[in-house]
Amino acid sequence: MRAMVIEDFGGPLVAREVPIPEPGVDEVLVRVRACAVDHFDVAIRKGLRERASGPHILGHEISGEVAESGSGVTGWTAGDRVATTLYLVCGECRWCRSGRETICENFGGHVGVAIPGGYAEYVVLPARNLVALPDDIDFPAGAILANAVGTPYHALKYRMGLQPGERLIVTGAGGGVGLHAVQVGVMLGAEVMGVDLGQAKLNAAKKMGATRAIDPRIQPVDAAAKQWTDGAGVDGVLELVGPATMPRTLASLSKGGRMVIVGSHTGTEWTIDPGDVYRNEWEIKGSRNVSAAELAEVIQLVVDGSLTPVVAGTYPLEEAERLQKNVVAGKLIGREVLVP
Ligand SMILES: [Zn+2]
């Protein structure tokens, strides 16, 4: 099969012919029809993630068709269309059994990191990572459901418990996850203020339904939030950026407000006054990707038109290098997707 391979960390992506992998007992061989490219791929390639050194195939946002099932797999037939989740989980611990498998006790890493990913014609995945993809959703849209769409769905619906009429701030609102976070917030009945850098990203957030969009270099987020809410502050903050925005977004919360942290790309430390947290009864929570059951909900919401995956374009596998450069440049609106 054709695959884009990195020989080692930091090296180029090279087009190669490699053997089609064989599925183990509880695994499925998937013919990759689409695989999105995102920041995580770039980080892995630099060696910043759990991957051991040596030749590797990136790609964790995958959709495709079942090609072959392992001997222990039931319920899937060759040709079935599938979306996929990207966490390798045990299926047996208390978190897996209670539907919170993204915090699995025996987390085995990510697809495209701990095991070969989707920058290839075929990929082997655990059967539990597959979710049926209806004909109504094309493969490029299907590829971005688990990460770009599912991540904010889990965060806003299940971790924040966002309610109709509430006011929500989304940082990084013009990014791949952010655009869908704005959509999910609006779908849940909230009013959304998007925060991002540059007019193109702000316009994109507005197009997704944000009623306000601000560039924090021009107006501090907390000042904008107070102005928006007559001084009260917002009900929720979805943090996709990190310590660069967190002090101001935390200060934007109303009493009883909730911050949910999904990403931290701008550092690892941030100072909080605990007094602010208890005096205001603020809630600060983490949120990690999406469960397979929630991904099935996301798929239904896309089918009925409540959510629209934003795909910036589709490209041949061999253009993976250029797509990663576009991710690094930070100018994309929506995900670019490889169609091997
Ligand atoms: Zn588990």
Side-chain angles (χ1 to χ4, degrees), residues 89-93 96 104-106:
V89 300
C90 77
E92 288 163 13
C93 72
C96 284
C104 173
E105 299 280 7
N106 307 302

PDB file of all heavy atoms in Angstrom, residues 89-93 96 104-106, ligand 1:
ATOM      1  N   VAL A  89      -7.877   2.301  24.157  1.00  0.00           N
ATOM      2  CA  VAL A  89      -8.369   2.106  25.523  1.00  0.00           C
ATOM      3  C   VAL A  89      -8.611   0.625  25.786  1.00  0.00           C
ATOM      4  O   VAL A  89      -8.697  -0.180  24.855  1.00  0.00           O
ATOM      5  CB  VAL A  89      -9.653   2.930  25.761  1.00  0.00           C
ATOM      6  CG1 VAL A  89      -9.368   4.409  25.544  1.00  0.00           C
ATOM      7  CG2 VAL A  89     -10.794   2.480  24.853  1.00  0.00           C
ATOM      8  N   CYS A  90      -8.758   0.267  27.091  1.00  0.00           N
ATOM      9  CA  CYS A  90      -8.785  -1.163  27.447  1.00  0.00           C
ATOM     10  C   CYS A  90     -10.169  -1.787  27.324  1.00  0.00           C
ATOM     11  O   CYS A  90     -10.300  -2.980  27.116  1.00  0.00           O
ATOM     12  CB  CYS A  90      -8.217  -1.368  28.845  1.00  0.00           C
ATOM     13  SG  CYS A  90      -9.332  -0.918  30.197  1.00  0.00           S
ATOM     14  N   GLY A  91     -11.205  -0.970  27.481  1.00  0.00           N
ATOM     15  CA  GLY A  91     -12.558  -1.510  27.398  1.00  0.00           C
ATOM     16  C   GLY A  91     -13.019  -2.219  28.670  1.00  0.00           C
ATOM     17  O   GLY A  91     -14.153  -2.698  28.736  1.00  0.00           O
ATOM     18  N   GLU A  92     -12.169  -2.278  29.676  1.00  0.00           N
ATOM     19  CA  GLU A  92     -12.490  -3.082  30.855  1.00  0.00           C
ATOM     20  C   GLU A  92     -12.423  -2.333  32.181  1.00  0.00           C
ATOM     21  O   GLU A  92     -13.015  -2.759  33.162  1.00  0.00           O
ATOM     22  CB  GLU A  92     -11.529  -4.278  30.934  1.00  0.00           C
ATOM     23  CG  GLU A  92     -11.830  -5.327  29.879  1.00  0.00           C
ATOM     24  CD  GLU A  92     -10.694  -6.293  29.666  1.00  0.00           C
ATOM     25  OE1 GLU A  92      -9.767  -6.308  30.502  1.00  0.00           O
ATOM     26  OE2 GLU A  92     -10.726  -7.006  28.651  1.00  0.00           O
ATOM     27  N   CYS A  93     -11.686  -1.243  32.254  1.00  0.00           N
ATOM     28  CA  CYS A  93     -11.526  -0.542  33.528  1.00  0.00           C
ATOM     29  C   CYS A  93     -12.833   0.174  33.893  1.00  0.00           C
ATOM     30  O   CYS A  93     -13.775   0.221  33.117  1.00  0.00           O
ATOM     31  CB  CYS A  93     -10.372   0.459  33.449  1.00  0.00           C
ATOM     32  SG  CYS A  93     -10.717   1.908  32.437  1.00  0.00           S
ATOM     33  N   CYS A  96     -13.794   2.894  31.317  1.00  0.00           N
ATOM     34  CA  CYS A  96     -14.277   2.337  30.051  1.00  0.00           C
ATOM     35  C   CYS A  96     -15.689   1.778  30.220  1.00  0.00           C
ATOM     36  O   CYS A  96     -16.549   1.957  29.367  1.00  0.00           O
ATOM     37  CB  CYS A  96     -13.337   1.236  29.554  1.00  0.00           C
ATOM     38  SG  CYS A  96     -11.803   1.871  28.826  1.00  0.00           S
ATOM     39  N   CYS A 104      -9.398   6.261  30.319  1.00  0.00           N
ATOM     40  CA  CYS A 104      -9.082   4.853  30.600  1.00  0.00           C
ATOM     41  C   CYS A 104      -7.854   4.724  31.509  1.00  0.00           C
ATOM     42  O   CYS A 104      -6.842   5.389  31.308  1.00  0.00           O
ATOM     43  CB  CYS A 104      -8.810   4.144  29.267  1.00  0.00           C
ATOM     44  SG  CYS A 104      -8.225   2.451  29.446  1.00  0.00           S
ATOM     45  N   GLU A 105      -7.980   3.842  32.528  1.00  0.00           N
ATOM     46  CA  GLU A 105      -6.847   3.578  33.449  1.00  0.00           C
ATOM     47  C   GLU A 105      -5.646   3.010  32.717  1.00  0.00           C
ATOM     48  O   GLU A 105      -4.508   3.151  33.145  1.00  0.00           O
ATOM     49  CB  GLU A 105      -7.255   2.542  34.514  1.00  0.00           C
ATOM     50  CG  GLU A 105      -8.400   2.913  35.415  1.00  0.00           C
ATOM     51  CD  GLU A 105      -7.978   3.834  36.548  1.00  0.00           C
ATOM     52  OE1 GLU A 105      -6.816   4.293  36.557  1.00  0.00           O
ATOM     53  OE2 GLU A 105      -8.823   4.109  37.407  1.00  0.00           O
ATOM     54  N   ASN A 106      -5.930   2.294  31.644  1.00  0.00           N
ATOM     55  CA  ASN A 106      -4.866   1.591  30.911  1.00  0.00           C
ATOM     56  C   ASN A 106      -4.687   2.203  29.527  1.00  0.00           C
ATOM     57  O   ASN A 106      -4.481   1.492  28.545  1.00  0.00           O
ATOM     58  CB  ASN A 106      -5.224   0.103  30.798  1.00  0.00           C
ATOM     59  CG  ASN A 106      -5.543  -0.493  32.158  1.00  0.00           C
ATOM     60  OD1 ASN A 106      -4.712  -0.449  33.065  1.00  0.00           O
ATOM     61  ND2 ASN A 106      -6.756  -1.007  32.326  1.00  0.00           N
TER      62      ASN A 106
HETATM   63 ZN    ZN B   1     -10.082   1.319  30.238  1.00  0.00          ZN
END
